[in-house]
Amino acid sequence: MQMQLELPDSVNVDQKYVKEALMAVLYSTGKLSAYQGCQILNITRRSFDEMLPHYGFSALVDSDDNLDIELTA
């Protein structure tokens, strides 16, 4: 799936920030696994875990849904 997002110039964020933030939110809500997030961002699992706090999420606190996704990934 490809998506396009247009933001006003007054929103001062780059494409990497938006992509990482989206992966963090999708991961935290159980919409994708950490493995999928790592593949999309082309980073290691450790880097993914270290990225999460930058967007207000923790790799240490996980939901049952996320654990199920990880176990089936």
Side-chain angles (χ1 to χ4, degrees):
M1 170 195 305
Q2 258 190 351
M3 298 178 73
Q4 185 174 359
L5 175 66
E6 292 188 35
L7 298 172
D9 291 336
S10 61
V11 178
N12 190 20
V13 295
D14 62 15
Q15 185 175 355
K16 179 184 178 203
Y17 177 89
V18 173
K19 197 171 184 180
E20 287 180 351
L22 178 60
M23 294 306 106
V25 169
L26 292 175
Y27 170 73
S28 72
T29 59
K31 302 294 182 194
L32 89 160
S33 69
Y35 176 77
Q36 291 169 314
C38 291
Q39 286 186 315
I40 292 166
L41 296 172
N42 195 31
I43 61 176
T44 65
R45 176 60 192 258
R46 181 177 180 150
S47 294
F48 187 82
D49 289 346
E50 291 172 350
M51 175 203 72
L52 291 174
H54 296 284
Y55 300 98
F57 303 103
S58 172
L60 300 178
V61 179
D62 217 341
S63 69
D64 290 338
D65 291 338
N66 280 347
L67 293 174
D68 289 341
I69 291 170
E70 289 298 320
L71 292 174
T72 59

